[in-house]
């Protein structure tokens, strides 16, 4: 469990609390209407007893609700069980926000059930997604704006998911740094149905460690116990934080915070993005010890590690790699994992149906943002990946052109690449991943 070079944070540095390295000016992401200079100073210095009192007035303050409403409106989203859309709420926002403030101030506010839908997950599977009402999303956003800085001050730098100023690329760079430093034995952790299984009681105890406002605690509890409406069935969950909830990512990070502390204090090099986590070790024995440490924590905290998806392996060996945030780290390579590649293919297929009657120019205009976005994230993959994507896109476009020209044949036709060579698509403005990769390498 050795630290790596000074270019990447060592284990002790990684263990520092978020606020320890932050000057007050670095809290620029907090909502100014809530977090005054006086509160930021208290946040930086710490409050007496480590607990915050009298926060509900910050939640129902008109400026807080107005700021929360702007965020909800910007994110758009579907209507909840009350069928009130963003547009309908906007038509009477002043009155509705005022009513919401009164209900919160008088303790009469009760969340409505969450409308559950299922979104595709791949291989015929779906992921449940909860859609709260617009009013509930506003209240949750107001709660998040008040509570997030308090918890963020405690979170460790090993955590990257759903945190201000941090993202997937930061986590991937950290993982790659540890691997290059020799931490190639990796524990790939998979928490079985994490968001659905967080125990409510234990989670609220975590919240109470920093929050002593009973009305705020009651409001959080009501959101955890929100009914779920699916079709004509409605039930109350006994555990979990609903995916799709504005407050859910903060609470999910809070519950795993004690795991971050435990692993970091023990000297392990863990990188976590929400419930996707890896522990990077220098030997098999250390990796097995780390897995046992995590297993003990999960059992003590009401969670479960997936027995088939949690494994230990040396990522320098073929077949022993691990997947993290869309990539597969294996044999010294960053490979785009199969699922990420299939998702891209599905998006390309959707835009390049042979029966699509639009012009080539229009189709390319729709394709380019997809290709640029995908390259922006996966540009560190092997170069052969980009050639494969480019080839797939051009084959789809040639099939459309063949259909529009009423030429016979299905699939690949030997003369297509002569009639419509690669240069033809480049002249029409098609974004080429292979060329973008070559330019990026030259600039480096």
């Amino acid at each position: 469990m050795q630290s790596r070079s000074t270019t990447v944070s060592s284990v002790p540095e990684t263990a520092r609390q978020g606020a320890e390295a932050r000057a007050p000016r670095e809290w620029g992401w907090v909502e100014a209407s809530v977090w005054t200079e006086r509160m930021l100073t208290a946040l930086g210095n710490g409050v007496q007893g480590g607990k915050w009192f009298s926060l509900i007035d910050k939640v129902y303050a008109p400026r807080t609700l107005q700021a929360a409403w702007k965020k909800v409106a910007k994110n758009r989203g579907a209507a909840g069980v009350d069928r009130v859309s963003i547009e309908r709420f906007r038509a009477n926002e002043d009155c509705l926000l005022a009513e919401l403030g009164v209900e919160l101030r008088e303790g009469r506010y009760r969340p409505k059930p969450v409308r559950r839908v299922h979104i595709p997950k791949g291989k015929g599977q779906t992921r449940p997604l909860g859609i709260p009402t617009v009013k509930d999303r506003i209240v949750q956003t107001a709660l998040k704006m008040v509570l997030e800085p308090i918890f963020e001050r405690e979170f460790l730098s090993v955590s990257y998911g759903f945190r201000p100023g941090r993202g997937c690329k930061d986590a991937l760079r950290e993982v790659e740094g540890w691997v290059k430093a020799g931490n190639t034995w990796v524990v790939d952790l998979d928490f079985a149905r994490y968001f659905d299984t967080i125990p409510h009681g234990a989670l609220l105890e975590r919240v109470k460690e920093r929050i002593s406002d009973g009305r705020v605690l009651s409001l959080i509890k009501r959101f955890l116990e929100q009914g779920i409406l699916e079709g004509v069935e409605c039930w109350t969950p006994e555990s979990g934080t609903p995916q799709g909830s504005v407050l859910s990512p903060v609470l999910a990070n809070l519950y795993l915070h004690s795991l971050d502390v435990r692993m970091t204090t023990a000297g392990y090099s863990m990188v976590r993005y929400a419930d996707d986590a890896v522990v990077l070790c220098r030997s098999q024995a250390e990796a097995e010890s780390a897995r046992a440490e995590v297993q003990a924590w999960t059992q003590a905290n009401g969670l479960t590690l997936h027995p088939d998806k949690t494994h230990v392996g040396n990522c320098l060996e073929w077949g022993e790699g691990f997947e993290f945030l869309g990539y597969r780290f294996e044999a010294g390579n960053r490979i785009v994992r199969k699922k990420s590649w299939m998702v891209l293919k599905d998006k390309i297929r959707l835009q390049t149906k042979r029966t699509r009657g639009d012009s080539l120019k229009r189709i390319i205009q729709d394709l380019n943002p997809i290709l640029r976005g995908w390259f922006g994230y996966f540009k560190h993959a092997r170069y052969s990946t980009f050639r494969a994507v480019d080839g797939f896109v051009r084959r789809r476009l040639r099939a459309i052109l063949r259909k529009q020209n009423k030429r016979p044949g299905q699939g690949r036709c030997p003369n297509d690449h002569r009639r419509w060579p690669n240069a033809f698509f480049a002249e029409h403005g098609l974004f080429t991943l292979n060329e973008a990769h070559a330019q990026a390498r030259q600039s480096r």
Side-chain angles (χ1 to χ4, degrees), residues 112-370:
K112 291 187 178 297
V114 172
R115 182 165 67 90
R116 172 170 283 189
V117 297
H118 291 266
I119 57 176
K121 187 180 177 181
K123 294 184 179 180
Q125 297 180 326
T126 61
R127 182 192 305 276
L129 180 67
I131 303 178
T133 64
V134 173
K135 288 178 67 175
D136 287 346
R137 298 206 293 268
I138 293 171
V139 176
Q140 287 191 31
T141 302
L143 267 174
K144 180 184 177 184
M145 290 192 299
V146 172
L147 299 178
E148 186 174 31
I150 297 172
F151 298 135
E152 183 65 26
R153 182 183 184 275
E154 307 296 322
F155 292 160
L156 305 188
S157 58
V158 302
S159 167
Y160 290 86
F162 307 111
R163 295 187 59 192
R166 299 179 143 238
C168 294
K169 292 182 180 180
D170 302 308
L172 288 166
R173 278 193 291 269
E174 185 77 0
V175 167
E176 191 164 54
W178 283 117
V179 171
K180 287 181 177 178
N183 293 47
T184 61
W185 280 92
V186 180
V187 188
D188 188 0
L189 301 174
D190 188 286
F191 295 94
R193 299 176 60 245
Y194 172 65
F195 283 86
D196 294 331
T197 57
I198 302 174
H200 288 171
L203 175 57
L204 285 170
E205 288 302 315
R206 303 281 204 281
V207 177
K208 289 177 183 178
E209 290 175 5
R210 291 290 175 262
I211 308 300
S212 285
D213 188 321
R215 294 171 69 182
V216 168
L217 294 171
S218 294
L219 195 55
I220 295 172
K221 187 172 186 291
R222 291 191 189 110
F223 277 120
L224 290 176
E225 296 174 349
Q226 255 180 304
I228 297 176
L229 180 65
E230 184 172 3
V232 295
E233 295 185 13
C234 187
W235 71 93
T236 301
E238 297 181 355
S239 63
T241 60
Q243 297 188 53
S245 159
V246 177
L247 202 55
S248 183
V250 178
L251 297 177
N253 269 333
L254 176 63
Y255 199 69
L256 285 175
H257 172 62
S258 65
L259 173 63
D260 299 343
V261 172
R262 177 167 179 162
M263 298 301 288
T264 303
T265 302
Y268 293 108
S269 308
M270 187 171 77
V271 180
R272 182 175 66 79
Y273 192 97
D275 61 332
D276 195 357
V278 290
V279 187
L280 302 107
C281 306
R282 301 190 72 87
S283 67
Q284 182 176 5
E286 182 185 330
E288 295 291 356
S289 176
R291 177 163 63 175
E293 192 81 18
V294 176
Q295 183 71 58
W297 182 90
T298 55
Q299 290 178 352
N301 287 272
L303 301 177
T304 306
L305 287 177
H306 198 293
D308 300 324
K309 297 180 180 179
T310 298
H311 72 277
V312 170
N314 185 349
C315 67
L316 293 185
E317 302 292 334
W318 284 106
E320 293 295 320
F322 64 96
E323 295 183 351
F324 189 64
L325 300 180
Y327 279 96
R328 182 169 182 82
F329 290 78
E330 190 160 43
N333 297 297
R334 258 212 226 181
I335 306 168
V336 176
R337 69 171 184 164
K338 185 177 179 181
K339 183 178 179 180
S340 302
W341 174 220
M342 297 307 297
V343 169
L344 175 63
K345 276 189 169 183
D346 288 341
K347 290 181 179 179
I348 293 171
R349 288 189 182 101
L350 190 63
Q351 298 295 335
T352 57
K353 294 180 179 179
R354 293 179 72 247
T355 54
R356 182 171 175 176
D358 292 324
S359 66
L360 180 64
K361 178 180 178 181
R362 176 62 187 176
I363 295 172
I364 288 176
Q365 286 177 345
D366 291 341
L367 278 173
N368 279 347
I370 297 172

Side-chain angles (χ1 to χ4, degrees), residues 370-380 386 431 433 436-437 440:
I370 297 172
L371 299 174
R372 285 196 179 96
W374 198 84
F375 176 77
Y377 187 79
F378 289 106
K379 61 184 176 183
H380 296 292
F386 309 119
F431 179 79
L433 279 74
H437 180 252

